[in-house]
Amino acid sequence: MKKDAEEALVFQDEMEIHRHPTLTGMWWPVGQQPEIPAPGQNEKRTVYGGVDYRTGQITYTVAKTKSGQNFLLFLSALL
């Protein structure tokens, strides 16, 4: 990529952060149900992020839901 290029190459991804993540597997005696204390209600946030290839600058936004409107807000912040 040229140093004086008008275009920018940005790697983008999104992820969800959960206050109470899913327990996927653990050792426990057969026939017993483990109890894991988890205060409060489960909440999640969606994080949209992008990294500029040339400069390494990170741009991100945090939203309550994953939606096209929130992705457009991220793109606006990226510009």
Side-chain angles (χ1 to χ4, degrees), residues 32-62:
Q32 294 182 14
Q33 180 68 35
E35 291 188 23
I36 309 297
Q41 296 295 316
N42 187 24
E43 295 179 28
K44 73 175 182 178
R45 296 291 182 261
T46 301
V47 181
Y48 298 94
V51 179
D52 186 305
Y53 174 77
R54 186 173 53 226
T55 66
Q57 178 180 349
I58 298 173
T59 304
Y60 69 93
T61 59
V62 180

Side-chain angles (χ1 to χ4, degrees), residues 4 6 8 11 13-14 16-17 19 21-22 27-28 30 32-34 41 45-46 49-51 53 76 78-79:
D4 59 346
E6 293 182 18
F11 294 94
D13 201 0
E14 68 274 338
E16 290 182 350
I17 300 173
R19 175 179 271 179
T22 303
W27 291 99
W28 204 261
V30 176
Q32 294 182 14
Q33 180 68 35
Q41 296 295 316
R45 296 291 182 261
T46 301
V51 179
Y53 174 77
S76 295
L78 193 61
L79 288 175

